[in-house]
Amino acid sequence: MAERRLLVLFGSQTGTAQDTAERIGREAKRRHLRCRVEALDSCDVANLIHEPLVVFVCATTGQGDPPDNMKMFWRFLFRKNLPAGSLCQLDYAVLGLGDSSYPKFNFVAKKLHKRLLQLGGNPLLPVALGDDQHDLGPDAVVDPWLVALWDKILALYPLPLGLEIISPDVRLPPKYTLHYLPEDSPHPDSDLLQPTASRAAPCELHPFAAHVVSNQRVTAQSHFQDVRLIEFDIVGSGITFSAGDVVMIQPQNRPEDVQQFCQLLRLEPHRRFVLEPTEPGTSLPPLLPQPCTIQYLVTHYLDISCVPRRSFFELLAYFSTTELEREKLQEFSSAQGQEELYSYCTRPRRTTLEAMWDFPHTTCAIPADYLLDLIPRIRPRAFSIASSMLADPERMQILVAVVWYKTRLSKPRRGLCSTWLASLNPEQGDVRVPLWVKKGGMKFPADPATPVIMIGPGTGVAPFRAAIQERVALGCRGNCLFFGCRHKSKDFYCQTEWEELVTKGLLTLFTAFSRDQEEKVYVQHRIRENGKLVWELLSSGNAHVYLAG
């Protein structure tokens, strides 16, 4: 009988595709299939020719782009020299997750399905196109598609004699077991909290712990929004960047949230543990040191401030000791309860920690082994770099709007990363932030004679500050910036810097202060007023136009 094994590969930007891939992995285990779930870039693409059965779960980002963790796979798969029948032994299915309000809806999934067909793959089902805009979210498509998928797979790979599908009432084992070390075991010398750069350029697995040099509020105290210009020291990091590049920052949870979480789950923050995979072949989480403390795990790894997904409530229900809590959790994890879950969690942006408060009896019964199955890891955040190496090769700056807003919940919602960054005070000692740089989507013209028109309202001006610094250092003329904000006196970022460049004839600046007069004025009004100049730059100067929000 053919070996019953399944490979589930995902391309995920925000974690939804990964969450869905892990759901498929759990359902495969209930059907006694040997199953691996991996990010597309973690798998050796050349080995696809040996895989009998693969399910691809892919998100689409931006303007029809593949997520970061499948870009290498994507490039390999579209190589012209791949033979037409190279995947003829492969049975596959593609599940796409997208948003129909974007023009290139589920572009990656559609293109992947088509390419696998070209290479001889055999589709088990038509490509599924999950849609965020649907009232029930992507699950409206995913749920029925998975029912059809398991029918197909079990027809090809029937259950072995004497085995039945494991009932949904039975809790599956955790991915890892957590072994506490004796209190008196020796401590390693290394400081867990200091990610260091390897000799190669820093990356997600080896970020550079950059020293925070300054953290300055650039909006007036009376302004509703707190915006920061934060400067990092990158000496010795091996980091290089140019205008348009992006810095990735790995944030951490607030100490008071970490403390609450540990109290709720009755965890001892300073206890040390090692993780062991439950199944052979499962790799350990790469960003967690071994051994590790509970404090480090909760501070740096578990995303206790994210809005929990359906899978969170599904797993939580297994630990419930009271009928009332269990029934509610099961409702939230059922297909019928998705509208209810949306209004409980997604609409008011309720966090995982807050949801745990609402189910106290269940929460204190969660075994520590299941923490990594229950709560996703904290994802890095991307910021446009707002300075140029040509202006200062030892420093990097970012412009950060601190995220803070009200929903129907009594406590205001706070952005995890921006709130953490704003709280850092370099005057209180050596404050460090784990970061690395990624190539951005904006490329500025190589020819210094080509003019650029930059439209950057609010913090959208960040990449243009880097571009202007770079172009001025290279002696490029033809720098035209349209900047918009609410008030000249409250949120006109980098005002002195821009005005100096204007005086020197190195920048043409148009400003729109929307609330400084009765009629609101935005950047588009200034573009229209200066249409003659804009057209001249475009028609005779071949100007490049850039827009950032």
Side-chain angles (χ1 to χ4, degrees), residues 412-456:
R413 307 293 88 194
R414 295 174 186 277
L416 173 67
C417 190
S418 60
T419 304
W420 172 62
L421 287 171
S423 75
L424 302 176
N425 182 355
E427 286 165 21
Q428 292 178 345
D430 187 17
V431 180
R432 291 184 181 265
V433 167
L435 52 78
W436 63 99
V437 165
K438 263 176 39 183
K439 279 282 152 225
M442 277 188 183
K443 297 278 179 285
F444 291 89
D447 180 357
T450 307
V452 293
I453 299 167
M454 297 163 279
I455 306 151

Side-chain angles (χ1 to χ4, degrees), residues 443-498:
K443 297 278 179 285
F444 291 89
D447 180 357
T450 307
V452 293
I453 299 167
M454 297 163 279
I455 306 151
T459 52
V461 81
F464 303 139
R465 182 170 181 258
I468 290 164
Q469 286 186 359
E470 196 161 285
R471 287 174 60 81
V472 165
L474 293 168
C476 306
R477 299 268 162 172
N479 304 312
C480 178
L481 173 66
F482 288 88
F483 173 75
C485 64
R486 290 197 175 199
H487 304 279
K488 183 176 182 176
S489 62
K490 291 185 178 180
D491 54 337
F492 186 2
Y493 317 130
C494 314
Q495 177 180 357
T496 324
E497 194 176 320
W498 302 139

Side-chain angles (χ1 to χ4, degrees), residues 175-193:
K175 206 179 202 175
Y176 306 103
T177 48
L178 191 143
H179 296 284
Y180 283 116
L181 298 176
E183 301 270 7
D184 53 2
S185 63
H187 282 236
D189 296 334
S190 66
D191 179 357
L192 294 180
L193 307 185

Side-chain angles (χ1 to χ4, degrees), residues 353-367:
L353 182 58
E354 288 169 329
M356 289 174 136
W357 273 112
D358 288 347
F359 296 92
H361 299 94
T362 306
T363 296
C364 67
I366 298 169

Side-chain angles (χ1 to χ4, degrees), residues 184-438:
D184 53 2
S185 63
H187 282 236
D189 296 334
S190 66
D191 179 357
L192 294 180
L193 307 185
Q194 289 297 326
T196 51
S198 56
R199 266 152 299 188
C203 60
E204 185 163 6
L205 295 182
H206 304 283
F208 175 70
H211 173 64
V212 180
V213 180
S214 65
N215 183 351
Q216 174 197 353
R217 179 171 172 142
V218 289
T219 45
Q221 288 298 333
S222 60
H223 191 56
F224 78 100
Q225 190 164 40
D226 180 357
V227 176
R228 302 298 178 104
L229 183 66
I230 301 175
E231 184 168 68
F232 303 106
D233 183 342
I234 54 165
V235 172
S237 64
I239 285 175
T240 58
F241 59 89
S242 47
D245 286 349
V246 165
V247 63
M248 304 299 293
I249 289 180
Q250 185 64 46
Q252 59 188 58
N253 289 310
R254 297 176 342 156
E256 53 270 42
D257 290 346
V258 173
Q259 191 184 349
Q260 270 190 23
F261 182 87
C262 291
Q263 282 170 352
L264 260 178
L265 277 84
R266 300 174 184 173
L267 296 166
E268 297 172 50
H270 300 293
R271 281 304 297 273
R272 292 163 67 249
F273 65 88
V274 289
L275 287 178
E276 277 182 22
T278 315
E279 288 185 6
T282 305
S283 53
L284 288 168
L287 294 161
L288 270 186
Q290 290 263 61
C292 186
T293 62
I294 291 290
Q295 177 100 25
Y296 186 94
L297 173 74
V298 184
T299 302
H300 297 272
Y301 194 85
L302 299 179
D303 197 352
I304 58 176
S305 75
C306 71
V307 176
R309 303 175 192 272
R310 175 179 170 180
S311 58
F312 168 84
F313 295 97
E314 189 184 318
L315 182 52
L316 204 54
Y318 288 109
F319 311 125
S320 210
T321 50
T322 67
E323 201 163 324
L324 194 68
E325 288 189 8
R326 189 185 310 114
E327 279 176 4
K328 195 68 195 167
L329 290 164
Q330 285 170 341
E331 183 191 344
F332 283 158
S333 55
S334 69
Q336 302 74 35
Q338 289 315 287
E339 272 181 63
E340 181 91 8
L341 178 60
Y342 184 84
S343 60
Y344 168 72
C345 250
T346 316
R347 189 177 292 122
R349 311 303 294 164
R350 193 183 302 271
T351 68
T352 295
L353 182 58
E354 288 169 329
M356 289 174 136
W357 273 112
D358 288 347
F359 296 92
H361 299 94
T362 306
T363 296
C364 67
I366 298 169
D369 288 346
Y370 280 93
L371 285 175
L372 282 95
D373 294 81
L374 192 62
I375 302 170
R377 73 172 179 89
I378 298 174
R379 293 188 167 265
R381 293 348 190 224
F383 294 90
S384 290
I385 297 172
S387 61
S388 165
M389 289 196 96
L390 299 183
D392 189 342
E394 300 187 341
R395 298 278 192 265
M396 176 199 288
Q397 294 182 332
I398 56 172
L399 199 59
V400 181
V402 181
V403 177
W404 185 100
Y405 58 95
K406 294 283 290 178
T407 65
R408 63 179 172 79
L409 301 178
S410 58
K411 278 173 76 175
R413 307 293 88 194
R414 295 174 186 277
L416 173 67
C417 190
S418 60
T419 304
W420 172 62
L421 287 171
S423 75
L424 302 176
N425 182 355
E427 286 165 21
Q428 292 178 345
D430 187 17
V431 180
R432 291 184 181 265
V433 167
L435 52 78
W436 63 99
V437 165
K438 263 176 39 183

Side-chain angles (χ1 to χ4, degrees), residues 52-123:
L53 183 60
V54 181
V55 175
F56 297 89
V57 185
C58 306
T60 296
T61 68
Q63 304 300 315
D65 303 313
D68 290 339
N69 63 3
M70 69 176 281
K71 283 191 167 149
M72 292 183 327
F73 167 85
W74 198 246
R75 280 198 294 271
F76 181 90
L77 199 71
F78 285 91
R79 275 169 35 179
K80 299 263 194 300
N81 59 355
L82 295 182
S86 49
L87 295 179
C88 58
Q89 87 311 328
L90 177 73
D91 288 327
Y92 75 91
V94 176
L95 167 54
L97 297 172
D99 183 323
S100 58
S101 67
Y102 284 81
K104 291 202 167 179
F105 171 56
N106 264 316
F107 183 74
V108 170
K110 292 172 190 169
K111 201 170 171 185
L112 173 63
H113 181 68
K114 205 169 154 188
R115 181 61 174 152
L116 294 168
L117 264 178
Q118 282 175 352
L119 294 172
N122 169 44

Side-chain angles (χ1 to χ4, degrees), residues 477-539:
R477 299 268 162 172
N479 304 312
C480 178
L481 173 66
F482 288 88
F483 173 75
C485 64
R486 290 197 175 199
H487 304 279
K488 183 176 182 176
S489 62
K490 291 185 178 180
D491 54 337
F492 186 2
Y493 317 130
C494 314
Q495 177 180 357
T496 324
E497 194 176 320
W498 302 139
E499 288 172 349
E500 265 178 38
L501 292 171
V502 170
T503 310
K504 290 177 182 167
L506 299 169
L507 176 68
T508 305
L509 175 69
F510 299 102
T511 51
F513 305 114
S514 61
R515 308 297 200 277
D516 276 354
Q517 58 287 307
E518 219 154 280
E519 291 263 307
K520 287 183 183 162
V521 177
Y522 296 113
V523 284
Q524 59 268 36
H525 298 119
R526 295 290 182 239
I527 293 168
R528 194 172 291 134
E529 285 166 17
N530 296 280
K532 194 163 171 286
L533 168 73
V534 171
W535 174 241
E536 207 172 286
L537 288 170
L538 288 171
S539 59

Side-chain angles (χ1 to χ4, degrees), residues 16-86:
T16 310
Q18 180 174 353
D19 185 67
T20 305
E22 283 167 355
R23 172 186 171 184
I24 296 170
R26 290 191 296 275
E27 292 189 11
K29 282 184 181 146
R30 294 193 181 278
R31 288 157 180 83
H32 305 278
L33 284 147
R34 264 187 54 207
C35 181
R36 282 186 4 255
V37 179
E38 289 182 8
L40 275 152
D41 277 356
S42 306
C43 117
D44 185 352
V45 199
N47 283 341
L48 270 187
I49 57 169
H50 306 302
E51 291 295 339
L53 183 60
V54 181
V55 175
F56 297 89
V57 185
C58 306
T60 296
T61 68
Q63 304 300 315
D65 303 313
D68 290 339
N69 63 3
M70 69 176 281
K71 283 191 167 149
M72 292 183 327
F73 167 85
W74 198 246
R75 280 198 294 271
F76 181 90
L77 199 71
F78 285 91
R79 275 169 35 179
K80 299 263 194 300
N81 59 355
L82 295 182
S86 49

